[in-house]
Amino acid sequence: MAVEMTGKFIQKESPKSFSHSEMAEAVLETLTLPAVVSKDECIYCFESPYNEPLALNASPKHSLNICLNCFQATCNRHVPLHTRVTEYACDTIHSNYLTIAKVEKPKQENVEENNNNKKIKLQVIETSEDDTHNTIWSLQRFNGENVPRTVLLKSTDPDISSTALEKIEKILKAKSQDFEDKKNSWVLEISTCPHTENFQIPSKPENTVNLNQCSSCDLTQNLWLCLHCGNIGCGREQIGIDGHS
Ligand SMILES: [Zn+2]
Ligand SMILES: [Zn+2]
Ligand SMILES: [Zn+2]
Ligand SMILES: [Zn+2]
Ligand SMILES: [Zn+2]
């Protein structure tokens, strides 16, 4: 019995070639970091990563998942949506996330205390732009809807390599987009078009779209509907003349 179990154990272990931390290294190694990262609100619902001070051993209620493909943040509820949307719109499935939770420090806690007692936590504090909050993070792989995510690396791990830590710190320290910027860059990233830049919401709802005339001039024939923004423009541009579609 004991022999058989040992045999099974070895068999099960041998095909595994990479540990989670090695997988994390591989993910981080290939990352090209943008100057600006969205990490304040879910791009779909405004969920924030900020938490009140935690009770002992409690886990944070609020967290965000920074997509390591497009560096947009989504809440836990919207990670499946994000992977579905990007699977259609992009070449790669967005499945790796840096999950962050910002936890307000208890009032009496100070840096000196951390210096003496918790070396790992101190690193985390240094990565936070915010003196009033600790950032708890983990590198997670999304495996599909209703399947648990794989935690590849987390801020409380004892032996994070300096290269991995450096990359993660860069993401945490990167300039943060406010929500409006974030929304615009997301729109621009997947569907840039000149019409969206000066797009205005029509003031008279009953007159919103005239399907029979160019939105910018009087032409009523050879009209083109922009599939990005719904603009109707004349087709002169499509044959090389200055037009409006
Ligand atoms: Zn959300
Ligand atoms: Zn993404
Ligand atoms: Zn367009
Ligand atoms: Zn357009
Ligand atoms: Zn026109």
Side-chain angles (χ1 to χ4, degrees):
M1 186 65 181
V3 173
E4 195 192 336
M5 278 176 74
T6 311
K8 269 183 190 166
F9 179 72
I10 290 165
Q11 222 176 358
K12 206 177 160 193
E13 281 298 288
S14 54
K16 195 189 88 174
S17 43
F18 295 106
S19 69
H20 282 169
S21 66
E22 282 168 333
M23 283 156 74
E25 298 277 344
V27 168
L28 291 168
E29 212 169 49
T30 57
L31 283 188
T32 313
L33 302 182
V36 183
V37 173
S38 96
K39 51 190 173 183
D40 293 322
E41 280 170 323
C42 171
I43 56 170
Y44 304 109
C45 75
F46 314 110
E47 165 74 331
S48 102
Y50 288 94
N51 295 270
E52 309 269 284
L54 291 183
L56 196 66
N57 297 325
S59 43
K61 249 200 325 208
H62 304 284
S63 62
L64 284 181
N65 307 284
I66 302 170
C67 174
L68 295 181
N69 281 89
C70 65
F71 295 93
Q72 307 284 332
T74 61
C75 69
N76 288 329
R77 206 160 53 90
H78 285 122
V79 166
L81 173 68
H82 184 67
T83 57
R84 254 182 283 135
V85 167
T86 52
E87 199 177 345
Y88 286 111
C90 314
D91 300 337
T92 50
I93 301 174
H94 294 190
S95 52
N96 295 313
Y97 296 86
L98 182 65
T99 302
I100 57 164
K102 297 199 169 202
V103 181
E104 197 179 318
K105 295 178 191 174
K107 299 282 180 283
Q108 69 273 22
E109 189 181 343
N110 61 47
V111 177
E112 226 174 83
E113 226 180 281
N114 277 284
N115 236 333
N116 298 333
N117 303 334
K118 312 172 208 160
K119 212 172 174 198
I120 300 154
K121 276 257 176 84
L122 179 64
Q123 292 172 322
V124 176
I125 288 160
E126 282 175 346
T127 65
S128 168
E129 304 140 46
D130 196 335
D131 287 341
T132 59
H133 292 77
N134 290 320
T135 301
I136 300 169
W137 57 261
S138 58
L139 190 62
Q140 303 194 0
R141 176 163 292 170
F142 180 77
N143 298 308
E145 236 154 311
N146 304 319
V147 181
R149 294 187 224 162
T150 311
V151 176
L152 302 179
L153 198 68
K154 54 188 194 296
S155 48
T156 49
D157 283 349
D159 46 8
I160 305 167
S161 80
S162 56
T163 46
L165 198 61
E166 206 175 293
K167 266 275 167 72
I168 285 164
E169 277 178 359
K170 272 188 187 150
I171 299 171
L172 296 176
K173 280 180 182 166
K175 211 172 150 227
S176 177
Q177 272 170 318
D178 73 22
F179 180 66
E180 277 313 309
D181 285 346
K182 193 162 61 188
K183 222 167 67 177
N184 289 342
S185 88
W186 177 238
V187 169
L188 289 171
E189 192 175 319
I190 59 170
S191 61
T192 305
C193 86
H195 309 119
T196 46
E197 282 163 21
N198 19 10
F199 182 74
Q200 286 180 334
I201 296 159
S203 46
K204 290 181 244 162
E206 61 271 32
N207 267 339
T208 47
V209 186
N210 183 353
L211 292 172
N212 301 315
Q213 190 186 323
C214 173
S215 65
S216 308
C217 70
D218 296 337
L219 287 193
T220 56
Q221 292 192 332
N222 189 19
L223 300 176
W224 292 64
L225 170 69
C226 175
L227 293 179
H228 292 304
C229 68
N231 178 71
I232 308 259
C234 64
R236 288 188 283 200
E237 181 135 345
Q238 309 294 335
I239 53 168
I241 310 168
D242 207 16
H244 297 118
S245 58

